[in-house]
């Protein structure tokens, strides 16, 4: 019997109004890790109300005192790093060394944000008039909403949560539906560290309903979103209607240029890690290799050999280099783009499907490599 | 080609070949996105040209496109974002409002732009 997770509102786990729940699937085993409740519009309202109450408390606490709570959270994260990394590999699929790195990134940003608690500097400057003093100061925004993706289940939430908290804001947090457990663990750790109840509230469920309710909510003052370009555009349009601040971290098609004077082995290692680390599921993943023609043949030959040697499998096993793709929709998207590439005349140099080596082919440029795991 | 332009978010690498650094930088910038980028070269001049000319929020020299550290700003140009940066000192700004404060201790009405001449 898998555990059912509730929404986290007003400092406690509470039942959603919808009575619905979704499965949190381990992409490696396809087993259900947990069921997680789907928030309704009324639950988003409750979360915003709680956050408004939390804001009144939190924004009154001096920033260096807020920092102490963050420091404690960082220490708890560090103590629980291995446990969180193992859970993350089960929930998201990437290999253990990478999930450890993900937790480490959350630890790093938490320490960093805590340090900023004594550096919320304004500026002073001279006035154009006599006996007049001019300065700037920072103030929190109020209730902010954070919408995060599944590829860095704890690092990206921490990148948003910790700076928002140190600045004095209260939070409504909508994590990705593929990785709600790590999001809830992070919030539990903050509460354990002494964050006043109501300062952070978690609403889980689909972007199309819960995310939409958050984005359109008139009393949320800012949205920070990491995800796709299309969703980002939609959010920006919606935020115009309620005059929310919106910060967007969207897609990438990140190039690596390899010149003919490069250290080839170094470049090969970098391209391999950049393109296939995290199964390519990073917004900064290397997705375009721009090769100098003088080294093209040798580079591609050696890259293929290295790529073929990568072991796809269960991220908990030490011999695994690459975990699975997060879900069926993503796998289908990859397959679709491979078809598009072929139709456009690109040559498929390497492909693996469903754990079985499929085919290896080389032809004219531009070309692409592909590896896909199973979902 | 869509395969070399659209974000797939998976282990797919498009390979393009070029004959010069200028062409390489043009190819790198031929994208609606501008998040991370990298150049591998043993020539310091090539490295600085790439740093200066690649339209991206992040450029790595002799290191892969992944590997951001939390005390530097993270974010991109063009379709990657709307100008905000996460992490680094900018992270706090992302979640703060700036207020300008004027304190007049002259004890009389002073009019900006008018009494300042």
């Amino acid at each position: 019997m898998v555990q059912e997770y509730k929404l986290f509102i007003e400092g406690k786990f509470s039942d959603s109004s919808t009575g619905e729940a979704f499965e949190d699937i381990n992409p490696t085993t396809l087993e259900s890790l947990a069921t997680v409740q789907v928030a309704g519009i009324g639950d988003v309202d409750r979360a915003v109300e709680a956050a408004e109450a939390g804001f009144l408390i939190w924004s009154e606490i001096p920033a260096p005192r807020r920092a102490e709570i963050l420091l404690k959270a960082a220490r708890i994260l560090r103590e629980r790093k291995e446990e969180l990394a193992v859970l993350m590999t089960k929930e998201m699929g990437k290999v253990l060394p990478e999930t450890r790195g993900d937790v480490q990134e959350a630890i790093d940003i938490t320490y960093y944000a805590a340090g900023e608690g004594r550096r919320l500097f304004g500026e002073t400057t001279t006035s154009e008039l006599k006996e007049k003093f001019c300065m700037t100061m920072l103030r929190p925004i109020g209730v902010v909403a954070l919408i995060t993706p599944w590829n860095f289940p704890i690092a990206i939430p921490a990148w948003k949560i910790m700076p928002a908290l140190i600045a004095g804001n209260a939070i409504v947090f909508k994590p990705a539906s593929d990785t709600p457990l790590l999001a809830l663990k992070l919030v539990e750790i903050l509460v354990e560290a002494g964050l006043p109840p109501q300062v952070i509230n978690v609403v889980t469920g689909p972007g199309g309903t819960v995310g939409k309710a958050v984005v359109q909510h008139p009393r949320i003052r800012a949205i920070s979103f990491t995800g796709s370009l299309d969703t980002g555009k939609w959010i920006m349009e919606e935020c115009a209607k309620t005059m929310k601040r919106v910060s967007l971290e969207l897609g990438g098609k990140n190039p690596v240029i390899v010149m003919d004077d490069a250290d080839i082995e170094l470049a090969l290692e970098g391209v391999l890690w950049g393109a296939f680390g995290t199964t390519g599921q990073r917004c900064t993943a290397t997705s375009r290799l721009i090769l100098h023609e003088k080294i093209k043949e040798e580079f591609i030959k050696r890259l293929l050999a290295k790529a073929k040697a990568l072991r796809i499998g269960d991220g908990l096993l030490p011999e695994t280099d690459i975990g699975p793709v997060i879900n069926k929709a993503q796998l289908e998207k990859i397959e679709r783009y491979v078809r598009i590439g072929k139709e456009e005349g690109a040559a498929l140099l390497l492909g693996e499907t469903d754990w079985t080596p499929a085919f290896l082919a080389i032809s004219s440029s531009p070309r692409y490599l592909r590896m896909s795991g199973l979902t | 080609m869509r395969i070399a332009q659209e974000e797939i978010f998976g282990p797919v690498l498009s390979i393009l070949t070029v004959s010069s650094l200028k062409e390489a930088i043009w190819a790198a910038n031929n994208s609606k996105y501008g998040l991370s980028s990298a150049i591998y070269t043993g020539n310091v001049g090539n490295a600085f040209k790439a740093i200066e000319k690649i339209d991206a929020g992040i450029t790595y020299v002799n290191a892969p496109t992944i590997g951001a550290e939390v005390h530097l700003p993270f974010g991109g140009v063009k379709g990657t974002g709307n100008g905000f940066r996460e992490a680094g000192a900018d992270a706090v700004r992302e979640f703060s409002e700036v207020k300008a404060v004027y304190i007049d201790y002259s004890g009389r009405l002073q009019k900006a732009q008018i009494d300042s001449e």
Side-chain angles (χ1 to χ4, degrees):
Chain A
M1 176 77 189
V2 298
Q3 194 180 341
E4 178 161 299
Y5 283 82
K6 300 178 180 185
L7 311 178
F8 189 85
I9 298 177
E10 297 163 324
K12 55 185 183 291
F13 285 97
S14 80
D15 275 312
S16 93
S17 60
T18 63
E20 292 169 27
F22 61 95
E23 304 257 338
D24 184 8
I25 302 290
N26 177 329
T28 306
T29 63
L30 303 186
E31 286 164 356
S32 182
L33 280 173
T35 57
V36 181
Q37 293 190 353
V38 174
I41 303 229
D43 299 316
V44 173
D45 276 335
R46 274 201 303 138
V48 174
E49 257 172 53
E52 284 176 331
F55 177 68
L56 295 179
I57 299 162
W58 186 239
S59 58
E60 291 288 316
I61 298 174
R65 296 279 90 79
R66 292 180 213 140
E68 287 172 15
I69 292 170
L70 264 57
L71 276 178
K72 193 165 175 204
R75 284 188 208 112
I76 300 169
L77 279 165
R78 200 170 60 182
E79 283 159 18
R80 293 178 59 183
K81 180 175 172 180
E82 192 63 17
E83 168 209 332
L84 292 166
V86 168
L87 180 63
M88 194 189 299
T89 294
K90 289 180 182 169
E91 192 179 38
M92 185 269 167
K94 61 186 173 184
V95 295
L96 208 43
E98 289 194 39
T99 53
R100 287 186 190 120
D102 195 314
V103 180
Q104 187 58 47
E105 208 167 315
I107 296 167
D108 293 345
I109 193 74
T110 307
Y111 276 123
Y112 182 82
E116 290 299 291
R118 286 188 186 271
R119 283 192 292 269
L120 297 184
F121 299 135
E123 293 174 320
T124 62
T125 186
T126 51
S127 168
E128 63 188 41
L129 296 161
K130 290 176 195 166
E131 297 185 302
K132 196 175 176 187
F133 180 78
C134 300
M135 67 177 185
T136 65
M137 58 182 281
L138 298 180
R139 302 177 74 224
I141 298 170
V143 176
V144 301
L146 314 177
I147 303 176
T148 58
W150 45 262
N151 61 333
F152 281 86
I154 205 162
I156 292 179
W159 273 41
K160 296 184 190 298
I161 289 170
M162 304 309 170
L165 286 179
I166 202 66
N169 302 282
I171 294 168
V172 174
F173 175 24
K174 209 303 272 180
S177 295
D178 285 300
T179 53
L181 290 195
L182 264 296
L184 289 165
K185 295 285 174 199
L186 178 60
V187 169
E188 277 181 326
I189 286 168
L190 280 163
V191 172
E192 187 187 332
L195 188 72
Q198 305 173 322
V199 175
I200 188 161
N201 300 272
V202 186
V203 286
T204 41
T209 56
V210 183
K212 187 177 174 186
V214 165
V215 167
Q216 294 179 334
H217 202 286
R219 301 212 305 278
I220 289 173
R221 297 309 316 139
I223 302 277
S224 178
F225 169 76
T226 299
S228 71
L229 176 58
D230 287 344
T231 306
K233 282 181 179 171
W234 178 83
I235 288 175
M236 207 164 171
E237 283 175 25
E238 288 300 311
C239 286
K241 296 173 188 165
T242 43
M243 286 301 286
K244 286 184 184 65
R245 175 188 298 206
V246 54
S247 66
L248 304 171
E249 291 297 343
L250 309 175
K253 193 74 182 177
N254 309 292
V256 168
I257 296 172
V258 184
M259 294 301 289
D260 54 346
D261 55 24
D263 176 335
I264 299 298
E265 185 58 27
L266 182 70
L268 283 164
E269 293 292 336
V271 170
L272 199 73
W273 170 230
F276 302 129
T278 326
T279 323
Q281 302 172 121
R282 290 193 187 212
C283 48
T284 54
T286 303
S287 47
R288 292 184 295 147
L289 170 59
I290 300 169
L291 268 181
H292 196 283
E293 60 186 5
K294 280 186 193 160
I295 54 166
K296 177 178 84 174
E297 239 164 85
E298 186 204 349
F299 197 92
I300 291 176
K301 197 175 118 195
R302 288 169 66 181
L303 184 65
L304 284 174
K306 283 180 188 289
K308 277 171 74 180
L310 292 172
R311 290 154 301 190
I312 303 173
D314 183 344
L316 291 175
L317 301 175
E319 62 267 27
T320 304
D321 296 308
I322 295 176
V325 169
I326 185 72
N327 59 35
K328 199 156 184 279
Q330 276 302 121
L331 187 65
E332 283 168 2
K333 185 180 181 187
I334 294 164
E335 302 284 356
R336 189 166 71 246
Y337 270 101
V338 168
R339 281 197 302 278
I340 289 168
K342 283 185 192 166
E343 283 160 18
E344 288 177 320
L348 189 64
L349 300 185
L350 176 68
E352 299 221 8
T353 310
D354 297 344
W355 307 89
T356 318
F359 54 93
L360 170 69
I362 301 181
S363 91
S364 63
S365 106
R367 308 185 256 213
Y368 58 91
L369 288 163
R370 164 181 156 263
M371 306 188 76
S372 57
L374 105 171
T375 137
Chain B
M1 290 174 83
R2 290 179 65 193
I3 191 77
Q5 289 293 335
E6 295 174 18
E7 185 177 49
I8 302 167
F9 221 68
V12 182
L13 178 66
S14 296
I15 306 176
L16 305 102
T17 50
V18 293
S19 56
S20 67
L21 179 66
K22 199 176 167 188
E23 208 182 311
I25 290 169
W26 182 87
N29 289 341
N30 183 26
S31 170
K32 66 180 165 188
Y33 295 112
L35 180 54
S36 188
S37 58
I39 180 166
Y40 282 85
T41 179
N43 180 315
V44 70
N46 284 346
F48 272 90
K49 281 175 191 159
I51 292 166
E52 194 180 300
K53 298 291 185 196
I54 292 178
D55 297 329
I58 306 165
T59 295
Y60 292 90
V61 176
N62 293 332
T65 55
I66 61 180
E69 299 180 28
V70 303
H71 51 294
L72 266 74
F74 180 91
V77 304
K78 299 193 278 187
T80 293
N82 62 336
F84 280 91
R85 292 290 181 270
E86 296 196 287
D90 289 5
V92 172
R93 297 275 167 166
E94 183 190 353
F95 294 105
S96 299
E97 297 284 8
V98 178
K99 175 179 274 192
V101 181
Y102 300 92
I103 302 150
D104 191 324
Y105 52 95
S106 69
R108 61 186 183 276
L109 173 64
Q110 297 197 89
K111 297 174 186 159
Q113 289 88 41
I114 294 167
D115 295 341
S116 54
E117 272 191 40

